Amino acid sequence: MKQKTIEYALRSTWQLITTMYNEKAMKYDATMTMAFTLLSIDAEGTPSTALGPKMGMESTSLSRLLNTMGERGYIERKPNPEDGRGVLIFLTQHGKEKRAFAKNTVLEFNNGLLESIDPQKMEHFFEVIEAIKTQVEKKQLIEY
């Protein structure tokens, strides 16, 4: 039964992808979550308060992650000139190098899939994923 549910298919596939990315990232003193964070930081700096919602992370987990990334020299925090209470997150040169590696890894994975799966099937895949997201966002599938 579990192999025929949408949740099982999504979760088990995501676990395999996460493991694959983490194994690769470990060789470069990083994690998949760090790579995702590096890819989510804009060149002009990103407010730390915007990163959590952008990445779907709780503030406590994000704060711990940003502290680790700062200690490793991937990011630096600077006061937000438009909001004295806020902080902008910037990539260091080392962080930019890690970001380029993360981007290349993601593109390598995506291009490999696109080369091996029929384009029409990929189009349907994205249509189905979008339909699932829309239904979940409506919160009408299950009672809360």
Side-chain angles (χ1 to χ4, degrees), residues 108-132:
E108 179 184 351
F109 175 70
N110 277 262
N111 290 338
L113 287 176
L114 293 172
E115 289 173 10
S116 64
I117 298 174
D118 179 84
Q120 189 174 13
K121 287 183 178 181
M122 288 305 297
E123 188 177 323
H124 290 301
F125 168 78
F126 283 112
E127 289 171 359
V128 170
I129 287 294
E130 194 57 41
I132 292 170

Side-chain angles (χ1 to χ4, degrees), residues 33 37 41 47-69 75 77 89:
T33 306
T37 305
I41 297 172
S48 56
T49 54
L51 272 177
K54 194 174 189 179
M55 297 176 51
M57 288 183 76
E58 296 294 324
S59 59
T60 306
S61 299
L62 180 62
S63 179
R64 210 173 13 247
L65 176 66
L66 292 176
N67 286 338
T68 300
M69 292 176 71
I75 61 163
R77 295 174 167 109
I89 307 296

Side-chain angles (χ1 to χ4, degrees), residues 10 15 25 40 68 71 83-84 136-138:
L10 290 171
Q15 282 300 123
S40 299
T68 300
E71 291 166 7
D83 177 3
V136 171
E137 287 170 352
K138 288 181 182 179

